[in-house]
Structures are given as structure tokens and as C-alpha cells.
Amino acid sequence: MRPAPPVAWADPARRAAFEAWFAPLADAHRIDPATLRAASSDASFRRYLRADVEGGGSLIVMDAPPPQEDVRPFIHVAGLIEQAGLNAPRILASDVAHGFLLLPDMGSHLYLHALQEAERDGDPATADRLMRSAIGALVQWQRGVATTGLPDYDDAMLRRELGLFPEWCVARHCGVTWNADEQRDWDAACDLLVRNALGQPRVAVHRDYMPRNLMVTEPAPGILDFQDAAVGAISYDVASLLRDAFLSWDEERELDWGIRYWEAARKAGLPVDADFGEFWRQLEWMGLQRHLKVLGIFSRLKYRDAKPHYSEDLPRFFAYAHKVSARYNALRPLSRLLEPLMGAARLDVFY
């Protein structure tokens, strides 16, 4: 087998710690160290390495350098997911102090790519099958993943996330400074969104339940990137799935999948609102909080973390945020704050 390009290490001491940890694991799991190679990275400081196993298959190494990353939440939530009977990586070995984990390899066929392929090929049936599977797993997650030891998605966390938008997107990316009236409109919108989130029934929330973090596996889906799970609003993960960071759907399909989730949740005994219209409002407002947060995070990734490609998706999130804020009278002032930032005219829709 042709050796993989050597894995680069910025810190020689970290490389030495990894090699000391990995060497006995390679023997125990019949891993070929020469095949160790980059698998993927994400918006955090984590990266993932892949290595082949003698006789076929491969394993994944998570490299999560402290103090920027802490693997303990990942280990904890992985255990909760396993207890709920869902498909997520098990922890095969760990070095918590150095931030190394050995995990099963769930492959490289992301839901995101499968859905994009289905859209490109004019195959709505495949997209519908994948999304229904993701909805079914989400209902199982909300029923079965215990909230034990998870942080509370509380007032402080919600407002801290919202604060990323004016700091990094408005001021840094757009170069705009709000006047006193605009700041009051922003503060009022934040109050409404936080109240909406805290007023909903609370369950274990993945916090990034979207196609990029779901794998086409058997059983499907494989669930990734769950280490930030918290106890929060029941509509949060549905909003993440339907209004994705990297893929948008027309509203007819959003509503169809939203209704399917709502019906399945009610059948499973989950405490969603008995009125679908009210549940959909809760979802839209929860999604708006998330989208404003992501606008801030993607801007911060560009300017602080030198990852400019994330800013390519800012227009998608401005469109999400403007659509919702223009739809509801109470949020209309927020839509007027967004318009000069995104260069779009306001669209008023009433229901």
C-alpha cells in the first residue's frame, strides 16, 4: 500500500505525545501507521485523521488540542447517545489530558453531499428519504438522550451567542455602528428571541443537527459533532435541520418535513405544542436566534481564525434571518436593521 503523506504537526511536543499514545494502539487494533492521513477538519481547533486497519477498514483519530478543546464533553455525550440506541462513534481509546480519541470510522459520505447530489440529479425521493430518516433519529434523540450532565442552554448562553452578531458581523464585517435607537431595537429583538427559547419544553439539544454532521450509514444516520450538546428548546434541532448552514430548501418542503417531525414527536409523547402553527412560530424564532449567532460565528472565523470561506454562506443566513424577522410584526424592527447590512429590500408577509 502506498504510504500516505505525513501528518503535519505544528508542535513537536504534541507530536511526541501522540506517537507515544498511538504506538500501542496501532498494535492492539492492527492499525497500519504508514496510512495515517488527514481526514477532515471543522470550524473549531479539532482535526480528524484516518488510518487503515490490516485486513480492511479504517479508524479515526480525533486531535483536539487543549486548552482550546476539551474531549470530555464528547466522551460524555457519546455515552448518552449510545444508551439511546442511536448511531454515533464509540470511544475506542482516549488520552483526555492531550486531547486524543480513537473512534470507529463512519465513512465519508455526508448527508450534505448526498442531499446536494439528489438535488443536482433531480431526485426528490432520495432527499425525502434521507430527511425523514434524520427526523426519525431526532425524535429518538429527544426521547432517549438523557440530559444528565449537559449544560443548560440558559439566558446567559443565548445572549452570549446573540452578541456575536453585532460584534463580528455588524461592526467588523459590515463596518456599521448602530445608533441608540437601532441598539434599542436590537436589544428588544434579543429579549423576544430569548424569551421564546426559554419558554419552550426542554430536551437534550445537539446544537448542530444539520446535514454536514450526519452520515449516510447503516443504520442511518450516523451522528457527529455532538460535543456541544445542551439542555434547551425542543424546536432548536428541527430548525437546524430544516434551515441549514450549507443547504436551503423551499418553504413547501420545510413545512412538509416540519409537519412530519411534529406528528412523529406528538406520537412519541414529546411535549411539542398542540397547535402546529404555534410550534412553527417557535421554530422560526428559535432558528432566527441560531442564524444571527451563525452570522457572527462565520464572520469571526473569517477575521479572527483566518477561515474566510465560511463568509461565503453569510448571504444564506441573512436571507433566513430577514425572512423570519420581516414575517412577524414584533420582529419587524430587526428586519429593518438587517436590510442595510444585506442590501435587500424588506419583504412583508402576513399569516
Side-chain angles (χ1 to χ4, degrees):
M1 181 176 293
R2 185 177 181 180
V7 174
W9 295 89
D11 180 0
R14 183 161 184 78
R15 176 177 183 170
F18 170 76
E19 291 175 347
W21 173 74
F22 189 66
L25 292 175
D27 292 337
H29 293 271
R30 302 175 62 207
I31 300 169
D32 181 357
T35 65
L36 191 68
R37 59 200 182 273
S40 66
S41 60
D42 56 29
S44 72
F45 292 92
R46 292 183 302 272
R47 65 172 176 171
Y48 299 88
L49 310 175
R50 176 176 280 116
D52 294 334
V53 176
E54 295 175 15
S58 55
L59 295 174
I60 293 291
V61 172
M62 179 194 292
D63 172 21
Q68 295 92 345
E69 300 292 338
D70 181 357
V71 297
R72 289 173 297 179
F74 186 97
I75 294 171
H76 175 64
V77 180
L80 297 178
I81 295 172
E82 185 175 7
Q83 291 169 16
L86 291 161
N87 189 14
R90 294 175 294 106
I91 311 302
L92 303 177
S94 64
D95 178 346
V96 172
H98 290 100
F100 300 127
L101 298 179
L102 184 66
L103 308 169
D105 190 352
M106 304 190 83
S108 55
H109 197 190
L110 293 175
Y111 251 60
L112 174 62
H113 299 156
L115 289 167
Q116 289 172 332
E117 290 167 7
E119 288 297 285
R120 186 178 61 246
D121 296 342
D123 183 9
T126 293
D128 190 57
R129 174 176 56 80
L130 290 168
M131 290 294 284
R132 290 196 195 192
S133 179
I135 289 166
L138 177 57
V139 170
Q140 185 176 345
W141 168 292
Q142 292 178 332
R143 283 190 64 199
V145 173
T147 58
T148 309
L150 298 183
D152 188 14
Y153 211 157
D154 58 9
D155 184 285
M157 185 185 293
L158 290 161
R159 292 183 187 276
R160 188 162 58 247
E161 290 180 344
L162 285 165
L164 297 170
F165 176 69
E167 178 182 1
W168 288 98
C169 188
V170 178
R172 185 67 183 272
H173 181 71
C174 299
V176 169
T177 301
W178 284 333
N179 61 34
D181 289 339
E182 290 168 330
Q183 185 63 48
R184 277 193 294 272
D185 287 341
W186 168 254
D187 292 341
C190 288
D191 289 343
L192 289 172
L193 296 178
V194 170
R195 191 155 56 244
N196 171 71
L198 297 180
Q200 295 182 39
R202 301 172 75 69
V203 294
V205 174
H206 181 292
R207 292 185 67 202
D208 268 320
Y209 195 81
M210 58 185 185
R212 194 183 184 198
N213 292 329
L214 301 176
M215 304 296 297
V216 180
T217 58
E218 186 57 45
I223 302 172
L224 303 176
D225 205 22
F226 44 74
Q227 64 281 335
D228 293 326
V231 183
I234 196 168
S235 71
Y236 190 98
D237 284 338
V238 198
S240 301
L241 180 64
L242 298 184
R243 293 180 176 171
D244 179 38
F246 306 99
L247 185 67
S248 297
W249 306 102
D250 61 63
E251 193 162 49
E252 182 179 354
R253 296 173 90 180
E254 289 180 357
L255 283 166
D256 178 69
W257 290 323
I259 291 169
R260 291 184 186 280
Y261 162 80
W262 177 74
E263 290 176 337
R266 283 171 57 81
K267 186 176 181 180
L270 290 169
V272 292
D273 198 281
D275 180 347
F276 176 76
E278 174 57 17
F279 171 74
W280 190 250
R281 183 203 64 77
Q282 293 170 354
L283 181 151
E284 289 210 292
W285 287 33
M286 189 72 260
L288 177 55
Q289 187 274 343
R290 173 177 167 80
H291 298 145
L292 292 167
K293 172 190 74 172
V294 173
L295 283 164
I297 289 175
F298 281 12
S299 298
R300 185 176 65 183
L301 284 166
K302 176 179 181 178
Y303 294 101
R304 189 192 71 179
D305 301 335
K307 297 181 178 180
H309 64 282
Y310 283 93
S311 66
E312 296 170 5
D313 281 288
L314 292 179
R316 184 191 311 277
F317 284 92
F318 269 119
Y320 285 147
H322 186 264
K323 178 179 179 179
V324 172
S325 58
R327 172 170 288 173
Y328 297 93
N329 285 335
L331 294 171
R332 197 73 44 80
L334 175 60
S335 72
R336 289 191 285 270
L337 288 178
L338 297 176
E339 287 157 14
L341 305 176
M342 61 187 291
R346 179 156 46 96
L347 174 65
D348 292 332
V349 182
F350 299 93
Y351 288 92

